[in-house]
Amino acid sequence: MHSDVIDKFNSFYFIGIGGVSMSALAKYLLVLGKRVGGSDVSANEYTDELTALGVETFFANGADEIENYDFVVYTDAINENDLRLKRALELSKPAMSRGPFLYEVSKRFKTVIGVSGCHGKTTCCSMLAHIFAAAGKAFAAHIGGKDLTYSNFYCSGYDYFITEACEYKKNFLYLKPSVAIILNSGADHVECYGSEEALKAAYLEFASGAESTVALYGDLSGLNAVSFGLDKSADYSAVNVRTENGITSFTVCEKGEKYEGFKLKVCGKHNVLNALAAAAAARATGISFDCIKAGLSSFTGVERRFEKLDEIGGVKYYADYAHHPDELRASLKTVRKINGGRLFVVFQPHTYSRTKLLFKQFIAALSPLENLLIYKTFAAREYFDDSGSALTLSQSIKGSRYGDCEEDICDFISSAEKGDTVLFLGAGDIYFIAKRLCASAWHTKKQG
């Protein structure tokens, strides 16, 4: 239950501290009484939160402050020319990237629950946090998004550690989970693995040392796991699924035994699957169905996961983190269930490499839309690649529009009328753009 790294050092500096996962790790160190500082390109809600908690945050160029810290943790998306990382190396500061440092944190807990998969990790982690809280367990949750109750980190004790196990750069292979969850294994981050088969092999490796494994029914061959899914042959399945007034109700079947009365305050088949995975993992740790039911009913959602931003003039505005073709289809299927009028979709591709590798799949997912604007690519850690750009994608989808500024988005959605729905999709800064637009007076000006 100890980590030599965390026990040995008293102060930690995070390069990329504004990232959701990095800021959660910083919060954990604060719980331990460590001194924490960090830097990022610009301030955001997470850095503001950390500053309020006493963390020194830096945004200007320069790296002198690193001299005042014992240990450096850096984001996996770091630029190779980062001044602060170079300065840390010059000073021979001990340093570690986010993935192995997360493992160091996990070593301090008795039981580790690692949630992996191309889609749904944040939602499943959040559901588990609510379940373990309802069960009165001593746990910490490291969440890759902002749960509307617990934000991105919560700690009540050291028996259980619930964490997202991210497959980017094979980071999840650093973890040694007691309970391994594999939500799905669709093609993503193929640029890191070379092929979908290699990615699936990594999932198998991730689960190989776990005491219990929970995996989507039929998704990975050769894996000895408790299965979940909507197929009745799964160990954990859901029947009588229905959605009414924003509440999804269903019955859980555990190896044929039925448990009724489950309710979710979020919509979509994908969320029922996330709930089943969380339930199966909770059962593996001995939690009762009554506690699972109570936890899931208390879960109100995660920021950016089909979040309703506003309703203005009878037009509903939603945002969803979807940035993979499978996620786009799931989000669009959900919105069609609640949308009574026209649907306007603004999609921001996330990275050139993903768009390029899954180009045909993106076209297939987005082509049925009648009102679609594709916003300029959120490049993240990558350099421009025309073959995977938002403009090239837009030119390949008949009837779609391209936008590279907020005014283009305003012009596109200005024709939405009472009863229509506007959906913003993407993992980049489109969410913050959408929130600014909803909070601004552009729609009033249009009406005037």
Side-chain angles (χ1 to χ4, degrees):
M1 290 183 63
H2 292 283
S3 161
D4 292 339
V5 167
I6 294 174
D7 291 339
K8 182 178 180 180
F9 299 100
N10 294 316
S11 61
F12 295 78
Y13 187 94
F14 286 76
I15 303 175
I17 198 168
V20 60
S21 177
M22 294 282 277
S23 65
L25 292 172
K27 289 178 183 178
Y28 171 71
L29 292 178
L30 291 175
V31 170
L32 297 180
K34 304 291 185 178
R35 187 167 70 89
V36 179
S39 60
D40 216 310
V41 175
S42 59
N44 61 23
E45 59 182 319
Y46 295 114
T47 59
D48 291 344
E49 193 175 18
L50 290 171
T51 300
L53 292 172
V55 173
E56 291 185 294
T57 50
F58 304 87
F59 306 104
N61 289 331
D64 292 342
E65 71 273 5
I66 279 190
E67 298 181 17
N68 301 318
Y69 291 87
D70 302 328
F71 193 92
V72 175
V73 183
Y74 55 93
T75 174
D76 297 301
I78 196 168
N79 186 294
E80 58 186 11
N81 296 315
D82 185 88
L83 293 176
R84 290 180 168 92
L85 182 58
K86 283 186 172 181
R87 182 58 179 156
L89 296 176
E90 289 172 1
L91 295 169
S92 298
K93 295 279 184 180
M96 189 177 286
S97 66
R98 187 202 66 89
F101 189 75
L102 176 61
Y103 171 62
E104 292 297 325
V105 170
S106 73
K107 285 161 60 176
R108 301 177 65 85
F109 294 80
K110 294 178 182 178
T111 300
V112 177
I113 302 173
V115 184
S116 71
C118 294
H119 334 291
K121 292 187 292 293
T122 297
T123 298
C124 187
C125 268
S126 294
M127 288 177 172
L128 281 165
H130 284 264
I131 290 170
F132 275 71
K137 300 294 185 181
F139 76 98
H142 171 260
I143 304 170
K146 190 174 184 179
D147 178 87
L148 299 181
T149 301
Y150 298 121
S151 189
N152 62 336
F153 179 76
Y154 176 81
C155 183
S156 66
Y158 294 91
D159 288 344
Y160 298 91
F161 184 57
I162 301 165
T163 182
E164 290 193 26
C166 180
E167 70 276 11
Y168 177 62
K169 290 189 175 180
K170 301 185 179 182
N171 272 327
F172 66 157
L173 297 183
Y174 288 110
L175 285 172
K176 302 293 185 291
S178 311
V179 180
I181 301 176
I182 304 174
L183 295 172
N184 39 64
S185 61
D188 199 11
H189 294 302
V190 180
E191 76 280 4
C192 298
Y193 293 88
S195 68
E196 187 174 351
E197 290 70 26
L199 174 58
K200 288 186 176 182
Y203 280 116
L204 294 174
E205 183 179 349
F206 164 70
S208 62
E211 297 171 11
S212 303
T213 299
V214 174
L216 181 65
Y217 177 78
D219 205 40
L220 285 172
S221 59
L223 182 66
N224 182 21
V226 172
S227 62
F228 71 94
L230 298 181
D231 192 297
K232 293 180 180 179
S233 300
D235 296 315
Y236 290 84
S237 63
V239 296
N240 302 324
V241 180
R242 55 202 180 279
T243 300
E244 186 175 356
N245 298 323
I247 302 295
T248 301
S249 304
F250 56 98
T251 296
V252 171
C253 298
E254 181 189 52
K255 299 179 180 178
E257 189 75 21
K258 291 185 178 181
Y259 298 85
E260 299 179 344
F262 283 81
K263 295 182 183 297
L264 289 175
K265 296 183 178 73
V266 291
C267 301
K269 181 183 75 174
H270 57 295
N271 280 319
V272 175
L273 289 171
N274 290 329
L276 288 172
R283 292 293 284 165
T285 64
I287 294 178
S288 71
F289 269 113
D290 285 342
C291 291
I292 294 170
K293 191 183 301 182
L296 290 175
S297 67
S298 71
F299 171 69
T300 56
V302 178
E303 189 177 82
R304 300 188 73 168
R305 270 62 175 185
F306 209 80
E307 177 188 357
K308 186 176 182 180
L309 300 177
D310 212 335
E311 184 168 343
I312 305 168
V315 179
K316 296 177 181 178
Y317 296 83
Y318 289 85
D320 193 79
Y321 197 70
H323 56 287
H324 183 281
D326 291 344
E327 295 169 343
L328 295 179
R329 280 188 285 269
S331 185
L332 293 172
K333 186 174 182 179
T334 299
V335 76
R336 289 185 182 108
K337 291 183 178 180
I338 63 172
N339 176 45
R342 294 176 299 168
L343 175 63
F344 294 78
V345 175
V346 179
F347 170 57
Q348 181 187 44
H350 188 268
T351 73
Y352 298 108
S353 61
R354 178 182 286 110
T355 306
K356 183 177 180 178
L357 287 166
L358 303 174
F359 200 81
K360 291 182 179 179
Q361 292 94 316
F362 277 115
I363 292 175
L366 296 169
S367 289
L369 295 170
E370 294 182 3
N371 301 293
L372 170 66
L373 181 139
I374 299 180
Y375 190 63
K376 63 182 178 182
T377 303
F378 188 80
R381 54 198 169 266
E382 298 181 345
Y383 296 106
F384 177 78
D385 183 346
D386 181 65
S387 60
S389 71
L391 177 59
T392 300
L393 180 61
S394 176
Q395 291 171 339
S396 301
I397 300 177
K398 186 178 180 180
S400 70
R401 293 170 58 173
Y402 171 73
D404 62 7
C405 63
E406 293 186 24
E407 288 74 15
D408 290 337
I409 297 177
C410 290
D411 181 63
F412 171 66
I413 64 178
S414 62
S415 57
E417 300 175 343
K418 184 177 181 179
D420 295 339
T421 300
V422 177
L423 177 60
F424 297 91
L425 298 172
D429 59 356
I430 190 64
Y431 174 74
F432 304 102
I433 293 172
K435 291 188 74 172
R436 282 199 300 272
L437 292 180
C438 286
S440 72
W442 69 269
H443 41 83
T444 304
K445 293 176 182 177
K446 173 64 180 176
Q447 292 169 358

